[in-house]
Amino acid sequence: MQTKEKGRYHHGDLQTTLLRSARVLLEQDGIAALKLRAITRHAGVSATAAAPYFGNLAGLLSVLAAQGFDELTEAMSPPHAPLARDVGLAYIRFAIANPGLFTLMFRSDAINRTDAHLVAASERAFGRLAALPGPEKSGTTQAATMAARWGKAHGLAVLAIDGLLQPLTDNGDTCMTLDQLVSEAFR
């Protein structure tokens, strides 16, 4: 809510408004469109209005990425992903539904990986990824097994976002939806 009071500009929850504007621009125009001036302009506030809340663009994008990890964690939680294989599907479906946000979450050049809230949010999501199914190989460390499982889900997510799985779904012999293809990959 925007109001003018005694010649002063006042915005309701400016932090939320700036994050919402950043997300809209991110999903519409991609990461390249995320400039602090563009975000504040979209929010209808001055170019310096974000500084008290986020410090700089990396601060704002780090908070947005943390929100993304929280949403991903929720999407992979038992009510939404009751079986272990559902966790991988939820990961990929989240990426498809939120391609800009998903990409931002893993872009170290755009966010501050040491931000405490971002670290905590990404660790919660990674904790849910531990439920991903996959073969246990003797002599393989738990870390290597986890990396392989995450790599499968993340690789499929990126391929789906970039449209590179389309030839596999449009194959004349086995016409299937993207969701069917991804589901089959996690059987």
Side-chain angles (χ1 to χ4, degrees), residues 40-186:
T40 55
R41 185 179 317 117
H42 186 272
V45 297
S46 74
T48 59
Y53 300 96
F54 305 106
N56 57 24
L57 180 61
L60 189 151
L61 298 183
S62 297
V63 172
L64 186 58
Q67 285 182 349
F69 278 112
D70 286 338
E71 291 176 25
L72 176 59
T73 301
E74 176 63 25
M76 295 186 299
S77 68
H80 306 289
L83 305 174
R85 73 177 188 85
D86 295 335
V87 172
L89 296 175
Y91 187 92
I92 296 165
R93 288 174 181 146
F94 176 86
I96 293 168
N98 305 281
L101 182 60
F102 184 83
T103 302
L104 174 68
M105 291 160 52
F106 297 98
R107 288 284 302 266
S108 294
D109 62 325
I111 57 178
N112 177 2
R113 285 256 167 243
T114 62
D115 177 84
H117 297 293
L118 178 59
V119 169
S122 63
E123 286 176 354
R124 286 189 296 274
F126 193 74
R128 283 300 304 142
L129 285 172
L132 283 171
E136 296 290 335
K137 296 179 183 174
S138 63
T140 303
T141 65
Q142 183 179 4
T145 300
M146 185 61 210
R149 291 174 183 174
W150 183 24
K152 180 178 181 178
H154 193 79
L156 286 168
V158 172
L159 290 170
I161 287 172
D162 291 343
L164 298 174
L165 293 178
Q166 195 68 35
L168 299 175
T169 60
D170 291 343
N171 183 341
D173 296 336
T174 57
C175 193
M176 60 176 47
T177 67
L178 179 59
D179 201 64
Q180 289 169 325
L181 176 70
V182 170
S183 295
E184 195 170 308
F186 277 99

